[in-house]
Amino acid sequence: MAPEERVGAERLLQTFERRFLASRALRSFPWQSLEEELRAPSGSKLLLDLVHRTARHPLCVKHPPSGTYVRRFLSELIRKHEAVHAEPLDELYEALAEVLTTKESTQCHRSYLLPSGDAVTLTESTAIVAHGTTGLVTWDAALYLAEWAVQNPAAFAHRTVLELGSGAGLTGLAICRTCHPRAFIFSDCHSRVLEQLRQNIALNGFSLEPDVATDPRHPTVTVAQLDWDVATDLQLSTLQPDVVIAADVLYCLDAVLSLVGLLRRLSGCQKEQQAPDVYVASTVRNPETPQLFTAQLGQAGIRWEVVPPHDRALFPYEEQWEVVILKLAL
């Protein structure tokens, strides 16, 4: 295989690997490019490599994705393989046979690869809405904010970071893994979200017990139950963040009003230090929502600016909506 062909094959494998580990919609995979590669003399080796980078990836063996998702993926892979009239690959059919007996669960694992090759692995709901909340899955704004943070670690290094509406925990865990914060405070208000969040923190090697010895490179990690509307000034005064982040929390008028009110109160509770830097990432599904947010910020006297966009090169996104990060000056 020529060098340029090897580069192309590796790029294709990386795309499949990242999208599969994050359980992205099968229609988003570059199936046509794969079918073209499978027709080449090295097609059988590429297919074997692909099986080991997806269904038999070490992360999937240790932290299984949805059984239904794996079955659908392998079935589609078999169809593409058969379409090029290649010799059957035993390992491909063995992988399918193994997953056929898997019992489906309401939860699954999804993994998001970091530039280091390490991964953030999360337990997530298989349904977008479960237990009355959308906070049990990872949304695109969380991926986008995590991607920006990985590219801008100085914004978080040696600082105390508070995340509002942490959800499944992807953004915070990516920052803890790559940006060297001094301390990280995850927060949410839904009891089931908080339960899963604590599990995901432990799954990624971080301890919530202050007396438990951990990697000295890890920040101090805590989880706070924080309801924006009922949090007391006493509770807010214990946080003292240098940086506040939030992703995909601007989904309705009430949420916008609650967030702006909380930020004002949080700024007033800071003890002898400047107001924290605030970064809010939102997916622009309805242009009226960010417009409402910026209008409310203006009324509250909070200045804001748009963070320059970056390429979506690290994480596999599910949607194609625009995502915007605002930096606020409280």
Side-chain angles (χ1 to χ4, degrees):
M1 183 184 295
E4 62 273 13
E5 293 176 337
R6 285 197 294 271
V7 171
E10 177 58 27
R11 188 179 298 116
L12 184 64
L13 287 170
Q14 287 180 358
T15 300
F16 268 82
E17 178 182 45
R18 289 179 179 276
R19 301 204 71 80
F20 179 85
L21 292 178
S23 299
R24 291 307 180 233
L26 295 185
R27 65 179 181 277
S28 69
F29 285 69
W31 295 107
Q32 183 174 351
S33 297
L34 175 65
E35 193 169 335
E36 292 171 0
E37 292 288 344
L38 291 178
R39 296 182 187 279
S42 58
S44 295
K45 182 181 183 307
L46 176 68
L47 185 62
L48 182 60
D49 290 343
L50 183 58
V51 172
H52 283 275
R53 298 276 287 266
T54 54
R56 289 193 164 174
H57 193 289
L59 281 171
C60 295
V61 174
K62 187 175 182 180
H63 305 295
S66 160
T68 297
Y69 180 81
V70 178
R71 285 195 294 272
R72 290 173 178 169
F73 173 82
L74 290 174
S75 297
E76 183 64 23
L77 195 55
I78 288 171
R79 280 193 289 271
K80 297 301 181 185
H81 186 225
E82 291 177 343
V84 301
H85 307 291
E87 289 293 320
L89 180 67
D90 291 343
E91 193 158 354
L92 177 57
Y93 291 90
E94 289 169 3
L96 179 60
E98 290 169 2
V99 78
L100 286 175
T101 59
T102 302
K103 291 184 178 180
E104 193 54 56
S105 170
T106 57
Q107 291 184 310
C108 66
H109 291 101
R110 295 187 175 109
S111 296
Y112 304 87
L113 296 180
L114 299 172
S116 63
D118 197 3
V120 172
T121 297
L122 304 175
T123 299
E124 298 188 19
S125 170
T126 55
I128 293 176
V129 180
H131 300 277
T133 178
T134 58
L136 298 172
V137 296
T138 297
W139 295 89
D140 274 3
L143 293 171
Y144 192 80
L145 184 55
E147 198 167 53
W148 180 84
V150 169
Q151 296 173 12
N152 296 273
F156 306 96
H158 313 299
R159 308 180 82 188
T160 295
V161 184
L162 167 65
E163 182 176 23
L164 302 174
S166 296
L170 183 277
T171 305
L173 287 167
I175 290 174
C176 288
R177 280 279 180 85
T178 63
C179 299
H180 309 292
R182 177 176 60 251
F184 197 98
I185 306 166
F186 295 85
S187 75
D188 216 293
C189 66
H190 194 283
S191 58
R192 184 66 188 88
V193 173
L194 289 166
E195 178 185 347
Q196 179 182 272
L197 178 59
R198 292 187 179 97
Q199 293 172 358
N200 284 335
I201 291 169
L203 183 63
N204 285 274
F206 295 94
S207 174
L208 294 170
E209 302 296 331
D211 297 329
V212 175
T214 59
D215 190 325
R217 296 169 296 178
H218 286 179
T220 300
V221 174
T222 55
V223 174
Q225 184 166 14
L226 188 63
D227 187 316
W228 301 350
D229 293 320
V230 301
T232 65
D233 287 349
L234 178 61
Q235 183 182 12
L236 296 179
S237 67
T238 64
L239 301 174
Q240 299 299 306
D242 302 301
V243 185
V244 178
I245 63 171
D248 246 331
V249 296
L250 304 176
Y251 47 85
C252 67
L253 172 61
D254 288 344
V256 169
L257 297 176
S258 295
L259 176 59
V260 173
L262 180 77
L263 292 174
R264 290 184 63 187
R265 292 172 56 211
L266 188 63
S267 178
C269 291
Q270 293 292 97
K271 297 177 181 177
E272 298 180 2
Q273 66 180 63
Q274 64 182 17
D277 295 331
V278 181
Y279 299 93
V280 179
S282 58
T283 302
V284 187
R285 300 181 183 89
N286 181 350
E288 294 181 0
T289 304
Q291 292 171 6
L292 173 64
F293 181 51
T294 54
Q296 290 298 318
L297 291 174
Q299 291 181 23
I302 299 174
R303 301 188 307 277
W304 58 272
E305 61 178 310
V306 177
V307 174
H310 61 270
D311 292 335
R312 301 185 184 193
L314 177 56
F315 294 121
Y317 290 83
E318 190 70 271
E319 303 174 305
Q320 295 303 316
W321 300 103
E322 179 187 8
V323 183
V324 174
I325 301 175
L326 297 184
K327 181 179 181 180
L328 315 183
L330 301 185

